[in-house]
Amino acid sequence: MKSALPLFALAALATTSIFGALSAAPIDAALPGTAAQLSVPAPAPAPATETSANLLFANRPAPAPVTTSTAPVRLADGHGHGGWFFGMFDDDDDDDDDDDHGGRHGHHGDHDGRNCPPGATNCAQSPAAAGTTDAPANGLFTPGTKPQVQSN
Amino acid sequence: MKPLYAPLALTTALVPAMAAATPVTFTTQMTNYGGDGAYLAYYVTDASGAYLGSLWMAGGKAKYYQHLSGWYAATGGNTAQVDGITGASVGAGRNLTITLDLQDALFDAGYVLHVDSSVEKMSDQPNDVVIPLTSANLGQKMPGKRYVQSVTVSK
């Protein structure tokens, strides 16, 4: 009985060492179909660009490509909430706050002046609306008269 | 009978002075182009095309005026040209009626009314309508090229 104890102890030591070494060994390559490989993001598709003749708003920047980053993207024209957006599309495609709806959806305030073309004169300031001031003295109008407008 | 001559003479003298300016109505009918409200610039040039002045601007955001290319080229986008004569843009299929007190000298003197138009996400149309300001054209429905179906100038 006494002679079996050293042999048993030696066997236990050898087993522990082998399993310890194996568990500490690095895994160089993932097996196909493992979770590690599936978590690699696929290449983002290029964003669809507008092909229509959008000359009125041609100065709007192209949509940002899809990325996995959570960092916000700063828009050049100050669209979105506070000029920042986190998604694929801007939240307001209608820049015309004073269209035929009477400007009731002008919730983003006035962006005038942010997209003035180079060399524009007085572009940063919207003109005075009809009825708020006299017509310009350009020789066409009778001085002091105001236009009458009706839209249906 | 003689006492009537003086008032008659005074009235006759005043009529030409009052006729120096007349309310002129511009009635614009838009086509159903299927887009957002159109920006329209109404302006007058002489026979050689030299800019004389603006009559109306439909659309209040100055940053889009560059797309009213004829008007923009003539004014450099100076919004002071349309102070007090600016209103809302005009939707597809809608009509806009503007009445302005204009000098009679504008008519039959070689001046020409131009209407430039532009719509968001659609192409620009300078000189959508061009109308020589003549008595013969008063009351005539003048056709447009793209967003404007017609413009009628009447007194």
Side-chain angles (χ1 to χ4, degrees):
Chain A
M1 190 64 181
K2 286 182 179 177
S3 61
L5 281 176
L7 183 61
F8 182 76
L10 182 61
L13 179 64
T15 305
T16 306
S17 299
I18 290 171
F19 279 109
L22 284 175
S23 62
I27 300 172
D28 293 331
L31 293 174
T34 61
Q37 187 183 42
L38 292 176
S39 65
V40 176
T49 56
E50 201 159 299
T51 55
S52 64
N54 182 3
L55 300 180
L56 182 55
F57 299 98
N59 52 2
R60 177 181 295 182
V66 175
T67 64
T68 56
S69 170
T70 56
V73 177
R74 178 69 171 169
L75 291 179
D77 65 351
H79 278 230
H81 299 288
W84 297 90
F85 85 117
F86 293 78
M88 178 67 182
F89 298 105
D90 196 355
D91 59 348
D92 183 8
D93 279 333
D94 183 7
D95 283 349
D96 186 6
D97 292 337
D98 57 355
D99 59 11
D100 54 301
H101 301 296
R104 288 189 291 272
H105 56 91
H107 55 282
H108 289 291
D110 192 359
H111 300 301
D112 283 1
R114 298 188 187 181
N115 288 333
C116 288
T121 306
N122 207 17
C123 172
Q125 182 178 347
S126 289
T132 62
T133 185
D134 288 342
N138 55 16
L140 306 180
F141 300 96
T142 304
T145 60
K146 287 184 169 57
Q148 298 173 8
V149 188
Q150 183 178 1
S151 182
N152 295 311
Chain B
M1 196 65 183
K2 281 185 180 178
L4 288 177
Y5 290 157
L8 184 61
L10 183 62
T11 307
T12 307
L14 282 178
V15 166
M18 292 170 66
T22 307
V24 179
T25 299
F26 299 85
T27 304
T28 304
Q29 177 65 49
M30 305 301 291
T31 61
N32 288 306
Y33 53 82
D36 290 337
Y39 271 48
L40 304 173
Y42 298 71
Y43 59 101
V44 176
T45 66
D46 64 15
S48 68
Y51 175 78
L52 193 64
S54 297
L55 292 180
W56 189 254
M57 175 65 78
K61 293 205 166 186
K63 64 180 179 179
Y64 301 138
Y65 290 170
Q66 60 183 304
H67 300 286
L68 301 164
S69 51
W71 179 88
Y72 192 87
T75 64
N78 188 351
T79 58
Q81 293 287 326
V82 289
D83 272 341
I85 49 172
T86 296
S89 56
V90 189
R94 304 286 185 92
N95 68 66
L96 172 69
T97 302
I98 315 157
T99 300
L100 308 168
D101 209 20
L102 299 182
Q103 302 290 333
D104 281 351
L106 271 178
F107 290 86
D108 299 316
Y111 296 120
V112 179
L113 170 69
H114 301 256
V115 182
D116 290 359
S117 61
S118 188
V119 175
E120 183 180 5
K121 297 178 182 175
M122 300 175 83
S123 60
D124 305 337
Q125 183 59 63
N127 289 323
D128 201 333
V129 183
V130 177
I131 305 175
L133 293 173
T134 65
S135 297
N137 283 336
L138 288 174
Q140 302 293 320
K141 192 176 284 187
M142 309 300 281
K145 295 173 184 169
R146 186 175 174 93
Y147 305 112
V148 175
Q149 182 173 306
S150 66
V151 171
T152 305
V153 182
S154 56
K155 285 187 177 181

